[in-house]
Amino acid sequence: MVAGSLRNATAVGRWLTRRGYGTDDRPLAVIAAGERWPDGSLRPALEDLLGAGAIIAELESRGAGPLSPEATAARACFTHTPDVAVAVAACSSGIELARSGFADDVVVATELNASAIVPVLSDGAFNHGTGTGS
């Protein structure tokens, strides 16, 4: 398992396709994590959907596929959002974070491809690989 977001979408897509993922022989799932409401129910998160869409768009640009209808929809949400940073800042999570004093965190979280690190889960812990090599 790898961890991806808007910040490392290109690196994650590159890392996965270089290892043959996203093919019929090595299918994969990109999951927009979401959050939990205080009552424990699922709270979909726009920022996670857009991050998943960014990764899926990168995977597709590198020949991965075919895409499921769900992956196609997530990709379309990302590619058809004119300004991802503005959308995330205006969504419920962005507003909540800004009101709690974390507006700068929203800005950092929406920096598209600001990182080449690909966190890889191994033996119960995340280690990193770079998007360019490992």
Side-chain angles (χ1 to χ4, degrees):
M1 175 172 36
V2 301
S5 68
L6 291 166
R7 290 185 53 82
N8 69 346
T10 293
V12 167
R14 182 183 310 125
W15 191 94
L16 289 167
T17 56
R18 283 187 177 171
R19 285 155 182 77
Y21 290 104
T23 64
D24 287 336
D25 292 335
R26 295 189 87 181
L28 63 98
V30 177
I31 301 168
E35 306 174 53
R36 296 271 178 201
W37 290 105
D39 70 1
S41 63
L42 180 63
R43 175 183 175 179
L46 179 62
E47 61 274 22
D48 292 344
L49 175 63
L50 292 170
I55 293 165
I56 292 164
E58 182 64 30
L59 288 165
E60 185 180 47
S61 77
R62 294 177 175 278
L67 300 180
S68 69
E70 295 87 350
T72 300
R75 183 205 60 210
C77 285
F78 171 73
T79 60
H80 288 55
T81 299
D83 190 326
V84 170
V86 168
V88 173
C91 78
S92 59
S93 297
I95 292 168
E96 181 181 327
L97 286 166
R99 287 181 180 160
S100 298
F102 297 101
D104 290 345
D105 291 2
V106 176
V107 172
V108 169
T110 57
E111 293 174 341
L112 188 60
N113 296 317
S115 175
I117 300 298
V118 178
V120 179
L121 186 63
S122 176
D123 297 323
F126 279 102
N127 298 296
H128 71 76
T130 63
T132 57
S134 55

